[in-house]
Amino acid sequence: MRRIAKSIVATAFVASALSAEGSIVAAKIGNDVKPAQLKSSDKLWSKAKESEVTLYPQTTIKMNDKKGNAANAENKAKVAKVAALYNDKCIAFRITWPDGTQSIQDGTASDKYPDGFAVQIATNFEDAKKLPYIGMGSEGRPVLVHLNKAVTKHYEPNGNKDVALQVNRDNTNAFGDDLKKFDGDVANAAKTHYMRSFISEGFRSMTEIKDDSSKFNMTMDYDTKGKAWSGTLGRPLSDANIDLSKAGAVPVAFAVWDGEKMGRDGLKLLSTWIAVDLDGKKGNEELVKELTEAPKGNAESGKANVEAMCTSCHTLSKEKVAAMPYMAPNLSNIGGYSTAAYLAESIADPSAVVVPGYNRNAHKNFAWYNVDDKGNRTSTMPPMMTDKAMIDDAVAYLKTLKAEVEK
Ligand code: HEC
């Protein structure tokens, strides 16, 4: 009897390990098409095969916001559908994800939050085992993020070089056609206000790209019957920040925010790095392999070791809460949005990528890293596992830690 129970547990682990994310195939389209102009309803999308991408609640770092944290405490994962198209000049994505309520930010009320989505692309992915940290990149491993939020066409001063528009229309000297033009300019400025791109090496370093080096377009449409958003991104295959002209595949990650749940910043659902395979192009086979292969360790023995060695600091699930939860990131969704290579690296060499501290300002005593004279950060996590097989087992187990999918 005991034996049977054990083998059932083992099978359950194998089943979930096998459900590693697949890759997305970007279909090749003619060069006359400008993907940047594609809307989500465009017929051209039927050329691409939609792939499922699971988005998990970000639980690593808690926001300094009790209400927001409470609203998101029970979050489950959502399955999004992603399609991709490319030609010699451009690449485009369409992501469709369920959201029961359409939240559009109207005006500047500070207690209302919009739905939104982002597409994150690693700027350097030569070494498939050292991709950027999934939470907005990490030191020396930058990411490019394209972000779009559902806002109405209102205008708020934002320092976007358009000072002339930052006046109440009643205070302009404009009449007739001039006033119409003023209103049009304001509407246009406002429309693009929440379509932004950033270069980031960890979210403390997010820098908005305000020059012309990031040319892209994003759209968002809500399907009130199907209760789902559809978002598109079109961007050049290569620009000053990213060169995909010779890539056969590229690591891309997706995130969505739910305004109804006060979603913003870290309060989001996000995917792991997904390999986007440019159909018909060679190269980056290692990357595709790395991101689609199931981890090879033994999850069952990994579970035993991790529960014994790591739960003084790390929460693993609702049932396995850390002895001192403020000591380290919450790992209860880590298997959903982290790659196996990242997990192995985090265990073997904790300072390789250092996760920003838990509310560092509010909890100075429990920063997750130390900073030396030169500004380098070292993790407070001791390297606890050195044996390769033991690390593989831990990784196979950590990959099973993720929220179930919302039905
Ligand atoms: C003394 C407390 C402590 C112990 C014990 C500990 N860790 Fe950590 N761990 C941390 C801290 C602090 C961080 C965040 C800083 C960093 O990135 O290293 C971290 C980060 C991590 C991360 C990256 C998390 C993320 O969100 O990206 C993983 C994975 C991890 N630890 C796994 C483990 C495993 C597996 C063990 C047991 C073998 C373990 N840790 C034991 C403190 C600890």
Side-chain angles (χ1 to χ4, degrees):
M1 191 57 206
R2 267 179 92 193
R3 210 181 216 160
I4 293 171
K6 215 170 173 189
S7 82
I8 288 172
V9 172
T11 323
F13 274 128
V14 170
S16 66
L18 284 177
S19 66
E21 292 287 341
S23 55
I24 295 170
V25 178
K28 179 100 198 251
I29 49 171
N31 282 330
D32 51 320
V33 179
K34 292 195 173 65
Q37 290 164 4
L38 288 180
K39 292 230 154 68
S40 58
S41 56
D42 204 293
K43 278 208 274 314
L44 215 63
W45 288 109
S46 64
K47 290 204 184 300
K49 183 180 167 286
E50 279 193 316
S51 302
E52 288 193 344
V53 169
T54 314
L55 306 161
Y56 293 93
Q58 190 282 116
T59 37
T60 303
I61 300 153
K62 268 203 172 167
M63 293 252 300
N64 207 347
D65 170 4
K66 264 197 185 147
K67 252 167 108 184
N69 290 338
N72 290 275
E74 303 294 327
N75 279 353
K76 292 190 171 165
K78 286 184 183 183
V79 174
K81 287 192 180 132
V82 179
L85 297 168
Y86 84 103
N87 61 22
D88 291 340
K89 293 183 193 128
C90 299
I91 186 159
F93 297 94
R94 183 183 68 182
I95 172 169
T96 305
W97 73 98
D99 186 331
T101 47
Q102 181 189 31
S103 309
I104 297 180
Q105 190 165 322
D106 190 359
T108 49
S110 61
D111 58 342
K112 287 243 161 60
Y113 302 96
D115 295 330
F117 79 106
V119 181
Q120 175 178 261
I121 308 174
T123 62
N124 180 342
F125 44 94
E126 246 155 61
D127 186 345
K129 289 204 186 292
K130 292 203 190 301
L131 295 179
Y133 174 58
I134 195 73
M136 308 292 294
S138 42
E139 261 175 299
R141 301 185 200 177
V143 294
L144 177 65
V145 178
H146 294 294
L147 170 70
N148 200 11
K149 297 211 163 186
V151 291
T152 52
K153 291 183 187 182
H154 73 281
Y155 186 73
E156 68 186 57
N158 59 21
N160 271 350
K161 288 188 244 163
D162 32 26
V163 187
L165 302 176
Q166 295 178 20
V167 275
N168 186 309
R169 71 196 292 280
D170 299 331
N171 294 341
T172 67
N173 294 327
F175 288 99
D177 284 351
D178 284 349
L179 189 58
K180 251 190 212 154
K181 182 175 177 313
F182 175 86
D183 286 340
D185 288 348
V186 168
N188 274 334
K191 196 169 70 181
T192 56
H193 185 52
Y194 277 96
M195 189 183 80
R196 299 180 175 191
S197 61
F198 301 87
I199 281 284
S200 170
E201 293 188 39
F203 50 62
R204 285 153 298 101
S205 75
M206 266 174 77
T207 311
E208 187 181 352
I209 303 173
K210 286 195 172 176
D211 58 17
D212 286 338
S213 66
S214 174
K215 292 205 173 68
F216 68 105
N217 190 46
M218 296 173 97
T219 65
M220 258 176 98
D221 287 297
Y222 190 72
D223 170 4
T224 35
K225 265 200 207 133
K227 297 209 174 297
W229 279 102
S230 234
T232 64
L233 162 71
R235 51 157 284 120
L237 208 52
S238 301
D239 62 14
N241 308 293
I242 279 184
D243 181 4
L244 301 181
S245 59
K246 297 198 178 64
V250 52
V252 178
F254 304 88
V256 304
W257 285 264
D258 187 349
E260 176 79 5
K261 291 187 175 174
M262 307 172 74
R264 67 211 189 269
D265 306 328
L267 288 176
K268 61 169 177 271
L269 304 183
L270 82 161
S271 76
T272 184
W273 286 115
I274 312 274
V276 175
D277 205 335
L278 305 182
D279 199 20
K281 284 182 84 180
K282 290 227 156 50
N284 305 101
E285 286 79 12
E286 268 307 302
L287 176 80
V288 180
K289 203 171 145 225
E290 185 64 44
L291 295 181
T292 51
E293 246 177 24
K296 44 189 174 314
N298 179 320
E300 207 180 341
S301 51
K303 179 177 196 287
N305 291 335
V306 170
E307 285 184 356
M309 298 169 74
C310 319
T311 48
S312 53
C313 298
H314 289 290
T315 290
L316 304 175
S317 63
K318 285 232 161 59
E319 294 72 40
K320 282 269 175 261
V321 177
M324 296 176 281
Y326 44 82
M327 290 287 282
N330 179 326
L331 301 183
S332 53
N333 276 286
I334 199 81
Y337 46 71
S338 293
T339 64
Y342 169 77
L343 293 170
E345 185 183 46
S346 297
I347 298 169
D349 182 7
S351 294
V353 171
V354 180
V355 176
Y358 172 83
N359 291 349
R360 202 169 192 281
N361 295 326
H363 299 267
K364 280 205 175 62
N365 297 338
F366 300 104
W368 295 341
Y369 55 84
N370 297 309
V371 185
D372 69 14
D373 304 345
K374 294 192 188 88
N376 295 322
R377 296 181 304 148
T378 46
S379 174
T380 55
M381 170 174 156
M384 299 174 76
M385 289 182 180
T386 44
D387 180 64
K388 177 128 192 345
M390 199 177 179
I391 292 177
D392 282 349
D393 292 351
V395 169
Y397 168 62
L398 292 176
K399 281 298 281 179
T400 68
L401 296 182
K402 49 192 174 186
E404 49 182 295
V405 171
E406 191 171 273
K407 286 274 158 4

